[in-house]
Amino acid sequence: MTRDEALRFLRAHQPLPSDDALALYPELGRSLLTQFDEARKHFEAHPDPECLPLLLRACGDKSGFGVYQLVCCAFIPQPASVVVPHLVTALQSPHLGVRYQAAGLSALFPDDRLVAPLRQVYHQGDDDERSAALLALTRNTSLKARDALLIPRPDIDDDLVEWVDEYFGSPD
């Protein structure tokens, strides 16, 4: 797959259908995920900042049967100064799959610009999103990230507060 073909595919699939929808049409689902993976592999081999927001926004709900988790390989070679703004935007997406993948990738790029959107995902997301946001926030050892974890949620577990204090150190 060439750069132009990969970009064209990604632009046309913002986002891809959910895993449930892909499973209803197995041949179409396999074809879409194969093309997505070919685009991802192209940008892994040929790093290109233009692909980053397109890869993120192409992630449908759930895991893409394991393919979406591999987008990190296209992000790792890029500097945080390029990646973080795209993560901030993706964390605010209306699409669960986009937010989830962005939260997961945020663990690789600890940056205080991600704290507020990660906190929002942590407080409002589903269990998978919350877990990814929690991991990303704990990878950022700043006081801002620590404080974001201590802001109470209605369903927060007291054990989490104790764990955060142990992980980051007590605020006293």
Side-chain angles (χ1 to χ4, degrees):
M1 181 174 278
T2 68
R3 176 186 187 275
D4 289 341
E5 290 169 335
L7 291 174
R8 192 170 25 259
F9 173 82
L10 293 172
R11 284 186 187 111
H13 299 91
Q14 300 283 299
L16 285 160
S18 70
D19 285 6
D20 294 339
L22 292 171
L24 288 175
Y25 305 97
E27 287 183 38
L28 176 61
R30 256 190 310 280
S31 173
L32 288 172
L33 289 175
T34 297
Q35 290 176 76
F36 177 85
D37 199 39
E38 287 174 9
R40 178 202 61 82
K41 286 176 183 175
H42 173 82
F43 293 119
E44 180 181 344
H46 309 283
D48 184 339
E50 188 175 345
C51 77
L52 301 180
L54 296 171
L55 277 169
L56 277 173
R57 290 191 315 251
C59 295
D61 293 351
K62 307 283 186 189
S63 70
F65 301 99
V67 176
Y68 300 148
Q69 286 79 2
L70 301 174
V71 299
C72 67
C73 297
F75 282 76
I76 291 170
Q78 301 292 334
S81 61
V82 171
V83 172
V84 169
H86 297 303
L87 293 175
V88 168
T89 300
L91 287 165
Q92 299 167 8
S93 171
H95 301 287
L96 180 147
V98 174
R99 290 190 310 270
Y100 173 68
Q101 293 304 325
L105 281 167
S106 294
L108 300 174
F109 297 91
D111 188 291
D112 279 353
R113 292 173 289 175
L114 295 168
V115 171
L118 282 168
R119 182 181 59 223
Q120 183 174 352
V121 170
Y122 174 66
H123 282 263
Q124 298 173 357
D126 71 5
D127 288 343
D128 291 334
E129 288 177 282
R130 284 187 222 177
S131 295
L134 176 62
L135 175 63
L137 286 167
T138 60
R139 297 283 189 211
N140 181 337
T141 58
S142 74
L143 289 176
K144 188 175 180 180
R146 181 196 176 280
D147 291 345
L149 289 170
L150 293 177
I151 295 172
R153 282 191 1 224
D155 61 341
I156 197 162
D157 186 340
D158 289 336
D159 291 338
L160 175 60
V161 174
E162 287 180 34
W163 179 82
V164 169
D165 279 343
E166 287 176 21
Y167 186 82
F168 287 104
S170 179
D172 301 330

